[in-house]
């Protein structure tokens, strides 16, 4: 279990067709290995760079960010000021995920 990861992909839809969909990768041991932490930080940086580039009518995702094999998925609203993260209350960074996993494992 020390190196195992859980890919959590959760979504919902209401009667009014509002939807939400998030993905997180969680270390089952409660701690990322050094390599897992490095990959998670790289994926988070790529997501943040992509979010920073979003504007109404703009390109979807810079080509240099295509093909990354790990996932962090969040819900965004694109406004004139850029992307607003709708799922900001959920853990995204490795330290926050470690804390969240600890709560899940230890109650």
């Amino acid at each position: 279990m020390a190196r195992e990861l859980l890919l959590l992909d959760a979504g919902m839809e209401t009667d009014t067709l509002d939807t939400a969909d998030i993905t997180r990768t969680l270390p089952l041991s409660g701690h990322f290995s050094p390599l897992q932490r490095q990959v998670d930080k790289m994926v988070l940086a790529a997501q943040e760079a992509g979010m920073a580039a979003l504007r109404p009518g703009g390109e979807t995702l810079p080509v240099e960010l295509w093909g990354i094999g790990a996932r962090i998925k969040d819900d965004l609203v694109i406004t004139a000021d850029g992307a607003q993260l709708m799922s900001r209350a959920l853990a995204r960074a490795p330290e926050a995920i470690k804390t969240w996993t600890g709560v899940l494992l230890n109650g």
Side-chain angles (χ1 to χ4, degrees):
M1 186 161 101
R3 301 184 136 234
E4 293 178 344
L5 299 172
L6 170 69
L7 180 67
L8 174 65
D9 191 1
M12 59 72 83
E13 183 176 307
T14 67
D15 293 342
T16 60
L17 300 181
D18 292 326
T19 61
D21 191 8
I22 60 106
T23 301
R24 295 292 185 271
T25 304
L26 307 174
L28 291 180
S29 68
H31 303 278
F32 286 111
S33 72
L35 180 59
Q36 291 167 340
R37 178 179 298 281
Q38 181 181 2
V39 168
D40 197 72
K41 284 183 176 183
M42 290 171 58
V43 170
L44 179 59
Q47 184 202 35
E48 289 174 344
M51 287 169 39
L54 295 173
R55 297 286 181 268
E59 295 181 29
T60 56
L61 186 66
V63 123
E64 59 270 14
L65 300 180
W66 292 4
I68 295 175
R71 293 172 50 183
I72 299 176
K73 182 170 54 178
D74 284 286
D75 290 321
L76 305 170
V77 171
I78 310 301
T79 69
D81 296 327
Q84 292 184 7
L85 184 61
M86 302 305 292
S87 49
R88 71 179 133 277
L90 295 173
R92 293 173 59 231
E95 283 303 313
I97 289 172
K98 175 183 171 184
T99 300
W100 183 31
T101 305
V103 169
L104 293 174
L105 291 172
N106 301 316

XYZ file of all heavy atoms in Angstrom:
797
model
N 0.817 -1.195 0.000
C 0.000 0.000 0.000
C 0.865 1.266 0.000
O 0.383 2.332 -0.352
C -0.922 -0.022 1.218
C -1.921 1.102 1.231
S -3.310 0.801 2.314
C -2.843 1.774 3.720
N 2.132 1.163 0.304
C 2.990 2.331 0.442
C 3.086 3.154 -0.841
O 3.227 4.356 -0.778
C 4.382 1.910 0.886
N 3.010 2.530 -2.015
C 3.151 3.268 -3.263
C 1.867 3.287 -4.085
O 1.843 3.807 -5.186
C 4.280 2.670 -4.102
C 5.589 2.721 -3.353
C 6.728 2.227 -4.175
N 7.804 3.171 -3.960
C 8.451 3.804 -4.908
N 8.188 3.575 -6.142
N 9.392 4.655 -4.615
N 0.788 2.707 -3.553
C -0.448 2.631 -4.312
C -1.188 3.966 -4.279
O -1.172 4.683 -3.279
C -1.348 1.528 -3.756
C -0.766 0.147 -3.969
C -1.640 -0.946 -3.375
O -2.524 -0.639 -2.560
O -1.419 -2.107 -3.737
N -1.827 4.269 -5.410
C -2.592 5.500 -5.551
C -4.038 5.168 -5.885
O -4.324 4.147 -6.516
C -2.012 6.365 -6.677
C -0.573 6.834 -6.492
C -0.073 7.494 -7.766
C -0.468 7.791 -5.324
N -4.934 6.037 -5.468
C -6.345 5.923 -5.812
C -6.696 7.093 -6.717
O -6.458 8.247 -6.356
C -7.214 5.984 -4.553
C -8.719 6.108 -4.785
C -9.275 4.814 -5.378
C -9.424 6.454 -3.492
N -7.231 6.810 -7.898
C -7.726 7.859 -8.777
C -9.202 8.050 -8.471
O -10.025 7.168 -8.725
C -7.534 7.487 -10.251
C -8.028 8.542 -11.241
C -7.176 9.797 -11.155
C -8.021 7.984 -12.645
N -9.532 9.177 -7.861
C -10.909 9.495 -7.482
C -11.498 10.400 -8.556
O -11.007 11.502 -8.780
C -10.922 10.208 -6.121
C -12.263 10.738 -5.638
C -13.226 9.593 -5.375
C -12.073 11.577 -4.391
N -12.515 9.922 -9.252
C -13.189 10.699 -10.289
C -14.657 10.782 -9.897
O -15.370 9.775 -9.913
C -13.027 10.016 -11.647
C -13.477 10.885 -12.812
O -13.911 12.032 -12.583
O -13.396 10.416 -13.959
N -15.102 11.950 -9.483
C -16.462 12.105 -8.959
C -17.217 13.161 -9.752
O -16.652 14.191 -10.123
C -16.406 12.504 -7.487
N -18.473 12.892 -9.998
C -19.298 13.841 -10.717
C -20.721 13.813 -10.211
O -21.129 12.888 -9.498
N -21.475 14.830 -10.572
C -22.886 14.886 -10.184
C -23.633 15.714 -11.205
O -23.058 16.488 -11.948
C -23.064 15.461 -8.779
C -22.524 16.868 -8.546
S -23.408 18.232 -9.303
C -24.710 18.536 -8.182
N -24.944 15.512 -11.231
C -25.835 16.306 -12.065
C -27.135 16.500 -11.300
O -27.650 15.566 -10.703
C -26.101 15.595 -13.388
C -26.966 16.388 -14.337
C -27.121 15.686 -15.681
O -26.096 15.336 -16.291
O -28.279 15.476 -16.095
N -27.650 17.735 -11.307
C -28.899 18.025 -10.603
C -30.081 17.960 -11.560
O -29.899 17.829 -12.779
C -28.861 19.426 -9.965
O -28.836 20.401 -11.011
C -27.661 19.599 -9.053
N -31.281 18.080 -11.018
C -32.500 18.095 -11.843
C -32.502 19.263 -12.826
O -33.164 19.207 -13.856
C -33.742 18.183 -10.959
C -33.947 16.923 -10.133
O -33.367 15.876 -10.478
O -34.688 16.988 -9.135
N -31.779 20.329 -12.493
C -31.719 21.501 -13.378
C -30.576 21.396 -14.382
O -30.278 22.345 -15.086
C -31.546 22.786 -12.551
O -30.329 22.695 -11.814
C -32.724 23.008 -11.621
N -29.933 20.228 -14.427
C -28.829 19.920 -15.345
C -27.538 20.666 -15.009
O -26.637 20.744 -15.831
C -29.227 20.146 -16.805
C -30.414 19.303 -17.283
C -30.708 19.591 -18.749
C -30.178 17.818 -17.072
N -27.454 21.241 -13.795
C -26.161 21.746 -13.333
C -25.272 20.533 -13.115
O -25.714 19.506 -12.610
C -26.307 22.509 -12.013
C -27.070 23.807 -12.189
O -26.938 24.435 -13.246
O -27.794 24.189 -11.248
N -24.010 20.634 -13.481
C -23.100 19.504 -13.323
C -21.825 19.935 -12.623
O -21.464 21.110 -12.606
C -22.725 18.886 -14.690
O -22.059 19.887 -15.470
C -23.948 18.384 -15.427
N -21.140 18.970 -12.053
C -19.825 19.173 -11.461
C -19.045 17.886 -11.665
O -19.612 16.796 -11.671
C -19.934 19.501 -9.972
N -17.744 18.000 -11.859
C -16.912 16.832 -12.106
C -15.487 17.152 -11.666
O -14.912 18.134 -12.119
C -16.940 16.484 -13.594
C -16.324 15.126 -13.900
O -16.009 14.384 -12.958
O -16.151 14.827 -15.085
N -14.958 16.363 -10.736
C -13.592 16.572 -10.249
C -12.836 15.248 -10.280
O -13.436 14.179 -10.228
C -13.543 17.181 -8.827
C -14.230 16.276 -7.800
C -14.188 18.551 -8.803
C -13.284 15.569 -6.900
N -11.532 15.340 -10.363
C -10.660 14.167 -10.278
C -9.502 14.510 -9.348
O -8.944 15.602 -9.428
C -10.103 13.778 -11.661
O -11.197 13.503 -12.529
C -9.222 12.543 -11.580
N -9.138 13.574 -8.484
C -7.966 13.718 -7.615
C -7.242 12.382 -7.558
O -7.867 11.316 -7.620
C -8.360 14.109 -6.183
C -9.001 15.456 -6.041
C -8.005 16.586 -6.337
N -8.586 17.887 -6.077
C -9.264 18.604 -6.960
N -9.467 18.144 -8.166
N -9.749 19.787 -6.642
N -5.931 12.434 -7.398
C -5.126 11.239 -7.172
C -4.693 11.260 -5.716
O -4.067 12.227 -5.269
C -3.898 11.210 -8.099
O -4.349 11.303 -9.456
C -3.096 9.944 -7.914
N -5.032 10.209 -4.969
C -4.762 10.158 -3.528
C -3.811 9.019 -3.214
O -4.004 7.897 -3.695
C -6.064 9.937 -2.755
C -7.211 10.900 -3.039
C -8.463 10.442 -2.312
C -6.827 12.304 -2.643
N -2.791 9.251 -2.384
C -1.921 8.154 -1.946
C -2.635 7.338 -0.863
O -3.087 7.898 0.135
C -0.699 8.878 -1.392
C -1.222 10.207 -0.940
C -2.374 10.543 -1.850
N -2.764 6.044 -1.071
C -3.477 5.213 -0.105
C -2.775 5.140 1.248
O -3.424 4.924 2.266
C -3.692 3.812 -0.667
C -4.675 3.728 -1.845
C -4.808 2.299 -2.321
C -6.028 4.294 -1.466
N -1.468 5.351 1.260
C -0.737 5.331 2.526
C -0.909 6.628 3.305
O -0.550 6.708 4.477
C 0.754 5.115 2.260
O 1.305 6.264 1.612
N -1.451 7.660 2.638
C -1.543 8.971 3.265
C -0.380 9.877 2.918
O -0.393 11.054 3.243
N 0.646 9.338 2.243
C 1.840 10.115 1.885
C 2.245 9.795 0.459
O 2.297 8.628 0.070
C 3.015 9.774 2.806
C 2.720 9.983 4.257
N 2.796 11.215 4.854
C 2.326 9.118 5.221
C 2.470 11.106 6.136
N 2.168 9.840 6.379
N 2.576 10.838 -0.321
C 3.143 10.631 -1.640
C 4.600 10.212 -1.507
O 5.313 10.728 -0.636
C 3.115 11.921 -2.461
C 1.764 12.318 -2.974
C 1.115 13.433 -2.487
C 1.149 11.590 -3.981
C -0.117 13.822 -2.971
C -0.081 11.964 -4.478
C -0.720 13.078 -3.977
N 5.070 9.313 -2.371
C 6.499 9.052 -2.453
C 7.138 10.294 -3.083
O 6.433 11.133 -3.665
C 6.773 7.822 -3.326
O 6.542 8.135 -4.698
N 8.472 10.454 -2.994
C 9.098 11.625 -3.619
C 8.763 11.744 -5.115
O 8.466 12.833 -5.598
C 10.585 11.396 -3.385
C 10.632 10.611 -2.104
C 9.441 9.679 -2.199
N 8.774 10.639 -5.847
C 8.455 10.679 -7.274
C 6.982 11.035 -7.498
O 6.650 11.855 -8.367
C 8.789 9.343 -7.938
C 8.489 9.264 -9.436
C 9.264 10.327 -10.210
C 8.823 7.871 -9.952
N 6.076 10.439 -6.708
C 4.658 10.755 -6.835
C 4.403 12.237 -6.551
O 3.623 12.889 -7.242
C 3.823 9.893 -5.888
C 3.775 8.435 -6.270
C 3.219 7.553 -5.160
O 3.199 7.939 -3.983
N 2.788 6.354 -5.528
N 5.072 12.779 -5.533
C 4.923 14.196 -5.189
C 5.405 15.077 -6.345
O 4.766 16.066 -6.706
C 5.714 14.522 -3.922
C 5.657 15.999 -3.527
C 6.436 16.251 -2.244
N 5.871 15.514 -1.131
C 4.781 15.885 -0.451
N 4.159 16.984 -0.785
N 4.339 15.164 0.541
N 6.528 14.703 -6.947
C 7.073 15.464 -8.068
C 6.086 15.467 -9.245
O 5.812 16.512 -9.832
C 8.418 14.890 -8.500
C 9.069 15.645 -9.638
C 10.397 15.018 -10.037
O 10.825 14.008 -9.503
N 11.052 15.632 -10.995
N 5.537 14.297 -9.573
C 4.572 14.205 -10.668
C 3.322 15.012 -10.334
O 2.814 15.769 -11.179
C 4.203 12.728 -10.964
C 3.004 12.638 -11.896
C 5.400 11.997 -11.555
N 2.822 14.907 -9.100
C 1.625 15.637 -8.709
C 1.844 17.143 -8.816
O 0.979 17.870 -9.298
C 1.203 15.239 -7.292
C -0.228 15.646 -6.996
O -1.136 15.000 -7.553
O -0.426 16.607 -6.233
N 3.002 17.626 -8.391
C 3.306 19.061 -8.489
C 3.382 19.512 -9.943
O 2.926 20.606 -10.292
C 4.613 19.382 -7.769
C 4.485 19.412 -6.265
C 5.799 19.819 -5.621
C 5.652 19.947 -4.128
N 6.898 20.416 -3.489
N 3.951 18.663 -10.813
C 4.035 19.006 -12.235
C 2.646 19.075 -12.865
O 2.352 19.979 -13.648
C 4.910 17.987 -12.966
C 6.382 18.088 -12.600
S 7.376 16.729 -13.265
C 7.061 16.869 -14.998
N 1.785 18.135 -12.511
C 0.427 18.119 -13.049
C -0.347 19.343 -12.560
O -1.051 20.007 -13.327
C -0.297 16.808 -12.675
C -1.769 16.872 -13.022
C 0.364 15.631 -13.377
N -0.205 19.676 -11.286
C -0.879 20.848 -10.730
C -0.387 22.125 -11.425
O -1.182 22.996 -11.784
C -0.649 20.934 -9.218
C -1.281 22.124 -8.499
C -2.795 22.150 -8.683
C -0.920 22.081 -7.023
N 0.922 22.242 -11.651
C 1.468 23.420 -12.340
C 0.921 23.513 -13.770
O 0.595 24.606 -14.246
C 2.996 23.357 -12.353
N 0.789 22.365 -14.435
C 0.238 22.366 -15.788
C -1.226 22.797 -15.779
O -1.664 23.577 -16.631
C 0.376 20.977 -16.411
N -1.985 22.300 -14.780
C -3.390 22.698 -14.682
C -3.498 24.197 -14.432
O -4.294 24.887 -15.062
C -4.102 21.930 -13.566
C -5.594 22.277 -13.516
C -6.250 22.002 -12.181
O -5.622 22.162 -11.135
N -7.493 21.585 -12.210
N -2.687 24.721 -13.526
C -2.746 26.147 -13.203
C -2.339 27.002 -14.404
O -2.932 28.053 -14.652
C -1.901 26.446 -11.977
C -2.541 25.882 -10.713
C -1.686 26.023 -9.462
O -0.471 26.274 -9.571
O -2.258 25.860 -8.361
N -1.341 26.557 -15.175
C -0.938 27.281 -16.382
C -2.069 27.279 -17.410
O -2.338 28.300 -18.052
C 0.328 26.659 -16.975
N -2.726 26.137 -17.546
C -3.853 26.066 -18.466
C -4.992 26.966 -18.036
O -5.593 27.677 -18.851
N -5.295 26.972 -16.738
C -6.371 27.818 -16.220
C -6.041 29.299 -16.426
O -6.920 30.098 -16.771
C -6.614 27.528 -14.741
C -7.296 26.200 -14.504
S -7.336 25.634 -12.772
C -7.643 27.100 -11.837
N -4.778 29.672 -16.238
C -4.372 31.068 -16.389
C -4.526 31.543 -17.835
O -4.714 32.731 -18.087
C -2.928 31.246 -15.920
N -4.456 30.615 -18.786
C -4.546 30.972 -20.202
C -5.981 31.078 -20.699
O -6.212 31.558 -21.801
C -3.790 29.937 -21.034
N -6.959 30.642 -19.901
C -8.343 30.610 -20.367
C -8.983 31.992 -20.370
O -8.896 32.723 -19.391
C -9.170 29.672 -19.492
C -8.780 28.200 -19.545
C -9.562 27.415 -18.498
C -9.017 27.629 -20.934
N -9.603 32.318 -21.493
C -10.360 33.558 -21.660
C -11.551 33.247 -22.560
O -11.476 32.350 -23.390
C -9.511 34.653 -22.334
C -8.299 35.099 -21.532
C -8.719 35.966 -20.343
N -7.610 36.427 -19.566
C -7.098 35.822 -18.510
N -7.576 34.659 -18.111
N -6.111 36.329 -17.820
N -12.638 33.992 -22.437
C -13.767 33.757 -23.343
C -13.315 33.852 -24.801
O -12.605 34.781 -25.179
C -14.747 34.893 -23.007
C -14.393 35.291 -21.609
C -12.901 35.081 -21.501
N -13.678 32.846 -25.581
C -13.323 32.842 -26.995
C -11.871 32.507 -27.274
O -11.439 32.510 -28.416
N -11.103 32.194 -26.239
C -9.678 31.912 -26.412
C -9.422 30.464 -26.779
O -10.337 29.662 -26.951
N -8.141 30.129 -26.889
C -7.749 28.751 -27.164
C -8.089 27.879 -25.970
O -8.158 28.345 -24.840
C -6.251 28.688 -27.439
C -5.835 29.426 -28.691
C -4.353 29.317 -28.937
O -3.739 28.308 -28.539
O -3.800 30.250 -29.517
N -8.253 26.581 -26.213
C -8.644 25.691 -25.137
C -7.497 25.338 -24.213
O -7.590 25.480 -23.014
C -9.274 24.411 -25.699
O -8.355 23.804 -26.596
C -10.571 24.714 -26.400
N -6.390 24.853 -24.742
C -5.260 24.427 -23.920
C -3.983 24.571 -24.731
O -3.912 24.094 -25.863
C -5.440 22.967 -23.497
C -4.434 22.384 -22.527
C -4.537 23.069 -21.158
C -4.652 20.892 -22.348
N -2.960 25.226 -24.185
C -1.714 25.358 -24.940
C -1.151 23.999 -25.336
O -1.205 23.042 -24.568
C -0.774 26.067 -23.948
C -1.686 26.749 -22.984
C -2.908 25.868 -22.889
N -0.642 23.927 -26.549
C -0.141 22.666 -27.111
C 0.919 22.019 -26.222
O 0.976 20.804 -26.106
C 0.378 22.934 -28.545
C 1.803 22.550 -28.774
C -0.514 22.286 -29.561
N 1.733 22.811 -25.551
C 2.801 22.237 -24.716
C 2.249 21.491 -23.498
O 2.969 20.745 -22.846
C 3.832 23.289 -24.289
C 3.275 24.442 -23.497
C 2.803 25.628 -24.343
O 2.661 25.490 -25.570
O 2.583 26.687 -23.758
N 0.974 21.668 -23.192
C 0.368 20.961 -22.065
C -0.381 19.697 -22.492
O -0.903 18.977 -21.641
C -0.583 21.893 -21.313
C 0.050 23.147 -20.726
C -1.004 23.980 -20.008
C 1.190 22.805 -19.797
N -0.438 19.405 -23.776
C -1.124 18.208 -24.261
C -0.346 16.960 -23.875
O 0.877 16.969 -23.789
C -1.265 18.225 -25.773
C -2.188 19.278 -26.314
C -2.838 20.257 -25.608
C -2.534 19.478 -27.678
N -3.573 21.047 -26.444
C -3.401 20.588 -27.730
C -2.198 18.845 -28.855
C -3.940 21.060 -28.913
C -2.732 19.316 -30.036
C -3.599 20.401 -30.055
N -1.023 15.863 -23.630
C -0.397 14.557 -23.454
C 0.112 14.258 -22.064
O 0.801 13.271 -21.861
N -0.193 15.083 -21.082
C 0.226 14.794 -19.713
C -0.649 13.668 -19.175
O -1.866 13.698 -19.309
C 0.139 16.047 -18.830
C 1.147 17.082 -19.340
C 0.385 15.708 -17.365
C 1.074 18.406 -18.632
N -0.028 12.643 -18.572
C -0.755 11.425 -18.235
C -1.425 11.386 -16.877
O -2.111 10.442 -16.568
N -1.250 12.349 -16.011
C -1.925 12.378 -14.715
C -3.069 13.377 -14.806
O -3.114 14.190 -15.708
C -0.946 12.775 -13.622
N -3.995 13.291 -13.851
C -5.179 14.130 -13.958
C -5.487 14.875 -12.672
O -5.466 14.313 -11.597
C -6.393 13.264 -14.302
C -6.320 12.666 -15.657
C -7.418 11.670 -15.895
N -8.742 12.176 -15.562
C -9.825 11.437 -15.654
N -9.764 10.197 -16.041
N -10.995 11.951 -15.344
N -5.781 16.140 -12.828
C -6.467 16.942 -11.819
C -7.558 17.640 -12.612
O -7.279 18.335 -13.569
C -5.556 17.997 -11.157
C -4.397 17.361 -10.440
C -6.383 18.853 -10.201
C -3.414 18.364 -9.861
N -8.777 17.410 -12.246
C -9.884 17.978 -13.013
C -10.745 18.778 -12.056
O -11.041 18.334 -10.962
C -10.676 16.845 -13.659
C -11.820 17.300 -14.512
C -12.425 16.169 -15.328
C -12.839 14.991 -14.527
N -13.471 13.915 -15.274
N -11.125 19.960 -12.488
C -11.955 20.838 -11.683
C -12.999 21.495 -12.560
O -12.903 21.490 -13.784
C -11.100 21.930 -11.026
C -10.302 21.411 -9.856
O -10.917 21.179 -8.807
O -9.087 21.224 -9.999
N -13.970 22.096 -11.930
C -14.976 22.865 -12.636
C -14.575 24.334 -12.637
O -14.173 24.876 -11.603
C -16.343 22.713 -11.960
C -16.909 21.326 -12.158
O -16.744 20.787 -13.267
O -17.508 20.792 -11.215
N -14.678 24.951 -13.806
C -14.301 26.346 -13.987
C -15.448 27.111 -14.621
O -16.230 26.543 -15.382
C -13.091 26.466 -14.915
C -11.843 25.685 -14.531
C -10.848 25.707 -15.670
C -11.231 26.259 -13.279
N -15.520 28.397 -14.328
C -16.393 29.311 -15.047
C -15.453 30.316 -15.706
O -14.594 30.901 -15.036
C -17.378 30.033 -14.100
C -18.121 31.133 -14.841
C -18.351 29.045 -13.500
N -15.600 30.495 -17.009
C -14.748 31.431 -17.745
C -15.454 32.780 -17.787
O -16.574 32.890 -18.300
C -14.473 30.933 -19.183
C -13.998 29.481 -19.186
C -13.480 31.854 -19.881
C -12.753 29.232 -18.395
N -14.796 33.795 -17.234
C -15.343 35.149 -17.210
C -14.399 36.072 -17.968
O -13.311 35.661 -18.380
C -15.501 35.659 -15.763
O -14.193 35.869 -15.215
C -16.288 34.677 -14.905
N -14.782 37.315 -18.112
C -13.922 38.301 -18.772
C -12.592 38.447 -18.032
O -11.581 38.819 -18.632
C -14.632 39.644 -18.859
N -12.568 38.145 -16.750
C -11.349 38.251 -15.950
C -10.518 36.974 -15.961
O -9.477 36.909 -15.313
C -11.699 38.601 -14.493
C -12.340 39.963 -14.382
O -11.987 40.857 -15.170
O -13.211 40.134 -13.509
N -10.998 35.930 -16.633
C -10.274 34.659 -16.677
C -11.078 33.546 -16.046
O -12.290 33.647 -15.873
N -10.384 32.462 -15.699
C -11.044 31.275 -15.153
C -11.261 31.420 -13.649
O -10.363 31.818 -12.922
C -10.198 30.035 -15.431
N -12.479 31.090 -13.195
C -12.782 31.040 -11.768
C -12.970 29.584 -11.377
O -13.784 28.877 -11.968
C -14.050 31.830 -11.457
C -13.892 33.305 -11.649
C -15.148 34.064 -11.232
O -16.093 33.506 -10.680
N -15.154 35.347 -11.496
N -12.192 29.137 -10.413
C -12.225 27.751 -9.954
C -13.434 27.542 -9.045
O -13.523 28.129 -7.967
C -10.925 27.439 -9.201
C -10.707 26.024 -8.721
C -10.675 25.049 -9.889
C -9.402 25.960 -7.947
N -14.369 26.685 -9.462
C -15.588 26.456 -8.701
C -15.407 25.401 -7.608
O -16.172 25.360 -6.658
C -16.726 26.037 -9.645
C -17.018 27.070 -10.729
S -17.380 28.715 -10.087
C -18.935 28.417 -9.282
N -14.416 24.544 -7.742
C -14.192 23.477 -6.760
C -12.961 23.770 -5.899
O -12.257 22.876 -5.475
C -14.069 22.126 -7.472
O -13.175 22.201 -8.550
N -12.709 25.043 -5.625
C -11.500 25.457 -4.891
C -11.445 24.938 -3.454
O -10.397 24.901 -2.846
C -11.317 26.956 -4.933
C -12.296 27.772 -4.110
C -11.998 29.269 -4.219
N -13.170 30.062 -4.482
C -13.720 30.276 -5.660
N -13.210 29.731 -6.720
N -14.788 31.025 -5.801
N -12.582 24.505 -2.894
C -12.584 24.006 -1.517
C -11.974 22.606 -1.405
O -11.633 22.176 -0.305
C -14.005 23.989 -0.967
N -11.806 21.913 -2.526
C -11.219 20.564 -2.503
C -9.706 20.637 -2.618
O -9.161 21.502 -3.300
C -11.780 19.725 -3.652
C -13.268 19.431 -3.559
C -13.739 18.748 -4.828
C -13.568 18.567 -2.351
N -9.041 19.715 -1.960
C -7.579 19.667 -1.974
C -7.053 19.501 -3.406
O -7.584 18.704 -4.169
C -7.088 18.508 -1.111
N -5.987 20.250 -3.742
C -5.370 20.149 -5.057
C -3.857 19.939 -4.951
O -3.290 19.190 -5.722
C -5.646 21.416 -5.874
C -7.105 21.581 -6.221
C -7.416 22.921 -6.886
N -6.675 23.125 -8.107
C -5.971 24.228 -8.358
N -5.902 25.202 -7.480
N -5.342 24.359 -9.501
N -3.204 20.629 -4.055
C -1.745 20.554 -3.921
C -1.355 19.345 -3.070
O -2.143 18.880 -2.239
C -1.222 21.840 -3.285
N -0.129 18.825 -3.256
C 0.286 17.614 -2.527
C 0.117 17.691 -1.011
O -0.361 16.738 -0.405
C 1.757 17.451 -2.917
C 1.872 18.079 -4.247
C 0.905 19.243 -4.215
N 0.482 18.792 -0.374
C 0.356 18.889 1.091
C -1.106 18.863 1.525
O -1.457 18.240 2.520
C 1.059 20.138 1.622
C 2.565 19.992 1.692
C 3.003 18.806 2.541
O 2.491 18.611 3.663
O 3.876 18.052 2.069
N -1.970 19.541 0.766
C -3.399 19.537 1.094
C -3.996 18.148 0.878
O -4.837 17.693 1.656
C -4.135 20.578 0.253
N -3.548 17.454 -0.165
C -4.025 16.095 -0.419
C -3.554 15.162 0.692
O -4.306 14.308 1.157
C -3.582 15.607 -1.810
C -4.367 16.364 -2.883
C -3.773 14.097 -1.953
C -3.903 16.114 -4.292
N -2.327 15.354 1.157
C -1.805 14.545 2.270
C -2.686 14.729 3.509
O -3.064 13.752 4.170
C -0.363 14.954 2.565
C 0.236 14.265 3.762
C 1.635 14.789 4.021
C 2.177 14.281 5.336
N 3.486 14.849 5.641
N -3.026 15.967 3.832
C -3.878 16.250 4.983
C -5.251 15.619 4.809
O -5.776 14.968 5.726
C -4.018 17.770 5.184
O -2.715 18.312 5.401
C -4.921 18.100 6.360
N -5.841 15.772 3.634
C -7.169 15.232 3.343
C -7.152 13.711 3.434
O -8.027 13.096 4.040
C -7.604 15.701 1.957
C -8.993 15.292 1.532
C -10.078 15.105 2.344
C -9.437 15.041 0.201
N -11.174 14.760 1.569
C -10.814 14.716 0.264
C -8.827 15.078 -1.032
C -11.564 14.434 -0.861
C -9.572 14.782 -2.154
C -10.912 14.463 -2.064
N -6.109 13.073 2.872
C -5.985 11.626 2.927
C -5.855 11.164 4.368
O -6.437 10.156 4.762
C -4.793 11.137 2.089
O -4.923 11.640 0.758
C -4.727 9.630 2.033
N -5.088 11.898 5.183
C -4.947 11.572 6.595
C -6.274 11.576 7.330
O -6.573 10.691 8.137
N -7.110 12.565 7.020
C -8.444 12.633 7.624
C -9.281 11.434 7.173
O -9.970 10.814 7.978
C -9.137 13.956 7.266
C -10.611 13.954 7.647
C -8.422 15.145 7.914
N -9.211 11.104 5.889
C -9.977 9.962 5.378
C -9.529 8.643 6.016
O -10.353 7.791 6.315
C -9.835 9.866 3.854
C -10.469 10.999 3.035
C -10.122 10.840 1.563
C -11.974 11.043 3.228
N -8.207 8.503 6.214
C -7.670 7.261 6.768
C -7.860 7.139 8.272
O -8.075 6.052 8.793
C -6.179 7.128 6.434
C -5.834 6.889 4.966
C -4.331 6.971 4.763
C -6.366 5.540 4.503
N -7.764 8.275 8.958
C -7.753 8.235 10.433
C -9.005 8.784 11.084
O -9.113 8.772 12.303
C -6.532 9.015 10.942
C -5.253 8.438 10.409
O -5.072 7.216 10.399
N -4.354 9.286 9.913
N -9.923 9.290 10.290
C -11.192 9.796 10.842
C -11.137 11.112 11.444
O -10.573 11.933 11.764
